[in-house]
Amino acid sequence: MKILVLAAEFPATTSMPGSPRLFNLCRELARRHQLTLLCRSSKAEQETAFREDTATHGVFHEIQTIPPPPKLHPGSVSWTRRQLHRFSLVPSFVTQFRSPRYWRSTVSTVREAIDRHAPDLVYCDGLDMAQYLPWRSDIPTVVDYCDSLTNLFSQRTSKETSLKRRAALWLETRAIARWEVRI
């Protein structure tokens, strides 16, 4: 089976910092399946460490990167403006880059990878990358949440003492809950 793995960053191997969960899953899948990795490349050191780690050899048939999102200039967006996305009930990880051009480009890259590799399955690691998946596809797709963000944000909201922060977290929790159900 051919599997396209979509990830927000390069999976951490056991010799790299971070959780090796995704890498270990891919290593096991690669024993019987052909995997292609499509991930965002935002940290050059992480990409270099991943590509040079001997543990990664033979795991992925091909590795393709998505350009990093555009950088926002500090202070370019006010706190109020940053919170407006919450009233539309969209999680911040969907609107954080605020660039329709970047979103369209990333969706196009994912679609091109699907067309080129013709996978039997698309595995999307994390809720934030699901926004780039084609909504109508005959290819089975697995979105691995890893954690319930709704639950995590609910806990965080209940512990917040600042009324302003608590309101922002409450709105974010509602947005995430809707997104998790939608996906």
Side-chain angles (χ1 to χ4, degrees):
M1 180 186 307
K2 295 195 299 187
I3 301 172
L4 177 67
V5 177
L6 179 61
E9 56 187 36
F10 282 91
T13 64
T14 52
S15 62
M16 293 169 59
S19 171
R21 179 184 180 277
L22 175 60
F23 178 73
N24 287 331
L25 175 68
C26 290
R27 186 174 55 192
E28 288 302 312
L29 286 171
R31 291 177 188 228
R32 293 194 178 110
H33 307 286
Q34 180 182 332
L35 276 63
T36 298
L37 177 63
L38 177 59
C39 69
R40 201 176 313 155
S41 176
S42 56
K43 299 174 185 166
E45 318 81 52
Q46 187 178 14
E47 180 176 353
T48 301
F50 181 81
R51 289 181 185 271
E52 291 176 355
D53 192 329
T54 56
T56 64
H57 299 159
V59 174
F60 297 101
H61 175 72
E62 185 177 331
I63 298 171
Q64 183 181 348
T65 57
I66 298 169
K71 294 198 186 276
L72 293 176
H73 302 290
S76 65
V77 181
S78 70
W79 182 89
T80 305
R81 176 113 169 102
R82 286 193 314 264
Q83 307 314 313
L84 287 178
H85 73 275
R86 292 191 172 110
F87 288 104
S88 64
L89 294 180
V90 178
S92 61
F93 56 74
V94 172
T95 62
Q96 69 182 337
F97 304 125
R98 293 173 187 77
S99 172
R101 180 183 292 169
Y102 178 75
W103 184 84
R104 284 191 305 271
S105 170
T106 303
V107 167
S108 177
T109 300
V110 171
R111 284 186 182 142
E112 288 167 9
I114 289 171
D115 290 345
R116 189 161 60 90
H117 296 287
D120 301 302
L121 176 77
V122 175
Y123 174 88
C124 179
D125 183 57
L127 197 56
D128 57 331
M129 294 304 286
Q131 66 182 305
Y132 305 116
L133 293 169
W135 288 105
R136 295 175 190 199
S137 175
D138 57 347
I139 301 169
T141 301
V142 173
V143 179
D144 188 351
Y145 288 13
C146 305
D147 292 312
S148 168
L149 292 179
T150 302
N151 190 21
L152 292 171
F153 270 74
S154 292
Q155 291 173 13
R156 204 167 146 200
T157 301
S158 68
K159 294 176 183 174
E160 182 57 55
T161 56
S162 162
L163 186 57
K164 185 175 173 181
R165 273 291 287 146
R166 188 179 188 119
L169 284 169
W170 182 78
L171 288 169
E172 183 73 2
T173 303
R174 286 185 54 207
I176 291 170
R178 283 184 54 149
W179 188 255
E180 284 180 339
V181 169
R182 179 179 176 209
I183 298 301

